[in-house]
Amino acid sequence: MNALVLRPESLAADAVTAGNGSAAAARHALAGAALRAHPDFPAVRDAAVANLVQLFRGDYLLGRLLLEEGRYITIQTILSLAACQQAEERSSWLTLGRLQTRLAGSELASRNRIEALVAILERYGYLERRKAEEDMRITLLLPTARLWGADAVLMEALAGPVARFGDAVPQGSAHRGLLARARQAGQPHIEDAGLAAEAAPAAFDPQTPAWSSRDLAIAGAGHRSWHRAVAPELDAYFALRARHAELQGIASRDGGYLTLLLLLWEAGHSASAHVSLPFELLSSHTGVSRTHARLLIEQAEACGFIRLHARGGRDIEVCDRLHEAMDTWFADLMAFILAVD
């Protein structure tokens, strides 16, 4: 249900096509299996989980845009198309129609859903519509500095911990360049944020308005280089994500992926398989209703990821199945990031 399928004709016509995404995703999965066996993997994984929790907990708009699977895929496609367009090549211009064609056939991003998301991004200052100077009949979609910045901070939260593998694991030039640009631009380099046992969680206010207006970072033009490097691998990246069907089934719902991260984070800090994550607290962390939070927990239990031992989420047993699934997911994701060249 969650697989991203692109029609052959759209693949052939698009400049950022990766070709056989499934085969490339399988190669990344093999690299992920090797990465998971690395002795530093547990520490790197914990750092990534802590970074993501600190970034998204309590920021409802950012979480809904960048963690919900369908929206995330659409935004990544927008940024890749924007990074690769050339003013002299009209076929490369980022328009609503081209975005819809690029994602045609996706069950996660229907044409109507793409159009609605574009309207939301425009409303909250993440995207602009502007007439093309070369042809005023054509309306272009332009990601704003706010969208580039949000994506840059998300990538830093993942790429920083991955860099801790060091020279023992080959790193692609795109990954090295991403880290170098982040440091030069003065962005917070947070590869160690999740490693200190005494580190306190980022402060947040459950009463903060649901649609946060905070500015996370300023992404320089160099961040486009990362997306230009990722663009040929975009289909492989989506196919890789689709391999983790049970996780993405939860991540396709608002607050779903953050719920899984919070379960791991709580289990790590309590040093116990049993955690307390009441539905009211989960609701305030993720910005979904208490009923929706309960349904997310029940879905995780149906997948065998957790067991409920008390009402209201006050005693949740985090099962080995969740640790196994998330370890495999993070290993595959990190292998992909390291391979981009």
Side-chain angles (χ1 to χ4, degrees), residues 30-59:
L30 289 175
L35 200 63
R36 187 177 169 188
H38 193 283
D40 290 337
F41 175 76
V44 174
R45 174 208 58 214
D46 290 347
V49 170
N51 285 350
L52 293 172
V53 167
Q54 292 175 16
L55 177 60
F56 289 105
R57 184 177 54 185
D59 193 320

Side-chain angles (χ1 to χ4, degrees), residues 129-140 142:
R129 300 179 200 247
R130 188 179 303 171
K131 294 293 185 181
E133 295 180 2
E134 295 83 356
D135 188 339
M136 297 297 289
R137 296 170 300 176
I138 298 177
T139 301
L140 302 177
L142 300 176

Side-chain angles (χ1 to χ4, degrees), residues 34-102:
L35 200 63
R36 187 177 169 188
H38 193 283
D40 290 337
F41 175 76
V44 174
R45 174 208 58 214
D46 290 347
V49 170
N51 285 350
L52 293 172
V53 167
Q54 292 175 16
L55 177 60
F56 289 105
R57 184 177 54 185
D59 193 320
Y60 303 157
L61 177 58
L62 199 65
R64 290 185 182 184
L65 290 180
L66 296 183
L67 293 185
E68 191 274 332
E69 185 69 2
R71 297 184 196 120
Y72 175 81
I73 283 177
T74 303
I75 287 173
Q76 293 304 303
T77 305
I78 288 173
L79 294 177
S80 290
L81 291 174
C84 293
Q85 64 184 343
Q86 301 291 330
E88 64 276 10
E89 296 182 16
R90 183 177 302 225
S91 62
S92 72
W93 292 354
L94 175 54
T95 63
L96 176 60
R98 182 161 183 247
L99 177 63
Q100 291 171 323
T101 299
R102 181 65 177 87

Side-chain angles (χ1 to χ4, degrees), residues 197-219:
E198 68 277 7
F204 75 101
D205 180 0
Q207 302 304 316
T208 297
W211 305 109
S212 169
S213 61
R214 64 174 173 154
D215 292 324
L216 291 168
I218 298 176

Side-chain angles (χ1 to χ4, degrees), residues 3 14 96 155 174 267 341:
D14 204 287
L96 176 60
M155 283 310 306
D341 209 352

Side-chain angles (χ1 to χ4, degrees), residues 125-204:
Y126 288 95
L127 199 65
E128 293 179 356
R129 300 179 200 247
R130 188 179 303 171
K131 294 293 185 181
E133 295 180 2
E134 295 83 356
D135 188 339
M136 297 297 289
R137 296 170 300 176
I138 298 177
T139 301
L140 302 177
L141 302 180
L142 300 176
T144 65
R146 190 178 183 195
L147 183 57
W148 286 110
D151 182 72
V153 169
L154 172 59
M155 283 310 306
E156 173 71 1
L158 292 169
V162 169
R164 291 184 59 84
F165 285 118
D167 296 336
V169 176
Q171 298 183 29
S173 59
H175 176 249
R176 293 193 300 271
L178 180 68
L179 291 176
R181 286 190 298 273
R183 297 190 184 105
Q184 290 171 2
Q187 293 176 213
H189 187 58
I190 50 180
E191 67 183 62
D192 295 323
L195 296 180
E198 68 277 7
F204 75 101

